[in-house]
Amino acid sequence: MRIPAGRREQWERMLRSGRWRGCVALLAGALPALAFPAPSLWWLAYVGLVPWLLLIRSAGTGRRAALDGWLGGIGYLLAVHHWLMPSLHVFIVVLAALLGLLWAPWGLLVFRVLRAPVSVAAAMSAVVVVPCGWLMIELVRSWEGLGGPWGLLGASQWEVAPALRVASVGGVWLVSLVVVAVNTAISLLFVTAARTVAVVGIVVCALAVGAMAQWAPQPERSGVARIAVVQPGVIAGPHSVERRLAVSERLTGELAGRDLDLVVWGESSVGVDLSRHPEAAARIAALSRRVGADVLVNMDARQTGGPGRTGIFKSAVLVGPDGLTGDRYDKMRLVPFGEYIPARSVLGWATSLGKAAGEDRLRGTHPVTMWLPGAAGGKGLRIGPLICFETAFPDMSRRLTLDGAQLLIAQSSTATFQHSWAPEQHASLGALRAAENGRPMVHATLTGVSTVYGPQGERIGAPLGTDTSGAAVFDVPLASGTTLYVRLGDWPVHGAAAVLAVFCAFEGVRSLRRRHRRGPATARGAVAPVVASPDGSDESDESTGRSTP
């Protein structure tokens, strides 16, 4: 693709300025964030990395490419997590700068396979190894201690049916892999010698997605469950916990006579330990009798855990007509800084800058499935609860599915981030988890967005938005059988690691052979021969790292 000479020279002069180039890298990294909710420009994900890739390609040295990767990573993280700024203030910039370092090796990788001159072999390897390198970044930053898997690029495709079918085969990891592969191929369209490879790469990706959408096994429908979601809405000020409970009770009582299988409340819907406050448990049990269904509530209170630990737990608790059923799940994966401070003795000062956790919550020890014997037309229903942040982790919902869960339930509260992109982003994760596991998912919140997804990730009914206080009943389709992702797990991640290992080994061997061919004269500083790049500029082998005939 030809760019007018004058504009090209102006652009090159700007990119030679470190300050301007750094700003461009930040903006290029931030661009893909627009593919996520709330903008939800899902199509942008397939081209959003192209400016960043082309910028790294133009880096004159590996050091500059790594810097472009790092700055772009900072831009990506700040854009995807910008709604955390009111809570973490300047600390979010520090975290982005640290986590952005994960993209520095990726910048080197991109520079290695895309820098001029690009051969057909290099172009072919780029379409494979660049997405694999991106996937390794997503894997590492998915560790809970580094913030968890929020903003994985594949998650931007939550409302695209073919992408959800891809997720049923290889999880959100495979969706990310395809999205980055398409971006890489499109960036090669700007390289004359690699355009054929680019077109072939795009066609292969399209055919692969089409094949998975057509032939990937899908669970079979096996019935319907009537699930009610209660969303009290924004309740602030003095005695907000008690007033929220009263609103939830009123809304639940209005569901009487609706032939329900389960009523779901959001995260932190109860502020006391129901086992120590029998009067509160009795009130919810009375509601259960009135509506004819168990009520799944969520306690955020000081409790005593199973192993005898006493502290603040976040727990999903099932209450039936006779009171507490004994089914309880304690949240296992906590939000860094929001629910605990990593290395509090070192980073405890973060509490003075924002709304970081003043006291660390305690963790649960194992996942739990709960049995509703009279649900789903008397057949019974096994549910798998998750709490808030945990819906971002693909392995947690997969574990519940393997344990027999027929319905995944997420209890959440994004009240702190009510007027941001966070509620929509969080709710969208349910579509991915449903499609990955072939199980419907209910996402119930205190303040919205509350919504339900079917076994293929399709939205069921109308969501309750952030401006709603009310209750809604959903006829949730159930399914039997398992998806390939449930059977095979995170195989795209393992495959990407293997590809990178082979690539690094190959590059290492080739580098040794190149040094051997150059001999001692070149090693002592002989001038490398000059070769012409495809765009007409001259580059030496020393700058490109490529050997000449």
Side-chain angles (χ1 to χ4, degrees), residues 350-372:
T351 58
S352 64
L353 295 179
K355 300 176 182 178
E359 177 182 350
D360 291 348
R361 268 54 174 172
L362 299 185
R363 301 173 185 272
T365 57
H366 59 277
V368 173
T369 60
M370 303 175 182
W371 177 246
L372 305 176

Side-chain angles (χ1 to χ4, degrees), residues 183-405:
N183 274 276
T184 307
I186 291 176
S187 69
L188 288 170
L189 291 175
F190 293 84
V191 181
T192 303
R195 287 178 184 169
T196 301
V197 175
V199 172
V200 172
I202 294 171
V203 171
V204 169
C205 287
L207 291 175
V209 171
M212 285 183 277
Q214 183 69 30
W215 291 301
Q218 293 293 313
E220 298 180 358
R221 298 298 172 93
S222 61
V224 175
R226 285 181 62 81
I227 309 297
V229 173
V230 173
Q231 180 176 297
V234 177
I235 300 174
H239 309 292
S240 59
V241 175
E242 294 82 357
R243 290 190 291 119
R244 182 187 301 122
L245 178 58
V247 172
S248 298
E249 289 178 310
R250 176 179 58 80
L251 293 172
T252 302
E254 294 173 357
L255 295 169
R258 301 290 296 275
D259 191 25
L260 301 175
D261 292 311
L262 179 68
V263 178
V264 184
W265 291 7
E267 179 188 14
S268 304
S269 49
V270 177
V272 297
D273 180 358
L274 294 178
S275 64
R276 295 185 177 182
H277 291 77
E279 73 288 350
R283 287 162 56 186
I284 299 174
L287 286 173
S288 175
R289 292 191 296 271
R290 183 175 177 182
V291 300
D294 289 357
V295 182
L296 185 68
V297 303
N298 189 276
M299 303 187 308
D300 186 357
R302 192 170 301 278
Q303 310 165 46
T304 299
R309 296 175 300 157
T310 297
I312 299 177
F313 288 88
K314 286 199 171 184
S315 306
V317 178
L318 194 63
V319 182
D322 300 322
L324 294 174
T325 64
D327 288 323
R328 167 179 157 182
Y329 166 65
D330 297 325
K331 187 176 184 181
M332 297 171 61
R333 295 185 183 171
L334 305 177
V335 180
F337 298 97
E339 295 171 339
Y340 78 103
I341 303 294
R344 182 177 285 272
S345 60
V346 177
L347 300 176
W349 54 269
T351 58
S352 64
L353 295 179
K355 300 176 182 178
E359 177 182 350
D360 291 348
R361 268 54 174 172
L362 299 185
R363 301 173 185 272
T365 57
H366 59 277
V368 173
T369 60
M370 303 175 182
W371 177 246
L372 305 176
K379 297 178 181 179
L381 180 66
R382 187 167 294 279
I383 63 174
L386 296 166
I387 302 175
C388 191
F389 180 59
E390 294 178 329
T391 61
F393 294 87
D395 65 300
M396 295 198 72
S397 52
R398 177 174 177 261
R399 179 71 263 166
L400 290 172
T401 303
L402 289 171
D403 288 345

